[in-house]
Amino acid sequence: MTPGAPTTPSRTDRADRGAGVTPGDLLRYRAMAYVTGVLLLVLVLVAMPMKYLGDDGTLVSVVGIAHGWIYILYVLAAGVLCYKARWGLGRSLLVVLAGTVPFASFVAERKVVHALTPAGPARTGAPAA
């Protein structure tokens, strides 16, 4: 191989992707993903209809502010996780933006957990089917 030639990651490099992620990092991200997703669903499916159909904007102001602050914590948790997993900017942005689309944070959380945990029922503790 010549110096300066582009290299592609080997199989071991790709398998080592989530090596820097601790279980605490993953747990923090998962908790923030669920809380952010639930607050966003309450905002979109309950609070906004109450505001625009029932002329009561109280719930929108409370849940909207709570979702905004929790989303900041979600961005921080996702950023730490993506950095430690050595993910690229595109994948990291998709994970972070998942907290702004209803149901997307739940989908992203499942994909992130699947990508960062070892595969196989024996390693995850799940019963074999």
Side-chain angles (χ1 to χ4, degrees), residues 15-37:
D16 218 19
R17 279 286 175 158
V21 177
T22 65
D25 295 330
L26 193 57
L27 181 64
R28 275 186 292 279
Y29 166 75
R30 292 183 76 184
M32 290 289 87
Y34 277 109
V35 173
T36 301

Side-chain angles (χ1 to χ4, degrees), residues 43-110:
L43 180 65
V44 171
L45 299 177
V46 178
M48 289 181 74
M50 281 180 63
K51 178 179 180 176
Y52 294 111
L53 299 176
D55 292 329
D56 183 13
T58 307
L59 196 57
V60 166
S61 62
V62 171
V63 175
I65 290 171
H67 170 70
W69 283 105
I70 295 294
Y71 179 71
I72 292 170
L73 297 176
Y74 170 79
V75 168
L76 292 172
V80 167
L81 190 77
C82 292
Y83 176 77
K84 287 186 175 182
R86 293 183 272 154
W87 287 346
L89 182 62
R91 189 174 190 179
S92 299
L93 280 176
L94 287 175
V95 171
V96 167
L97 290 176
T100 63
V101 179
F103 296 105
S105 66
F106 304 117
V107 174
E109 183 269 337
R110 289 297 350 148

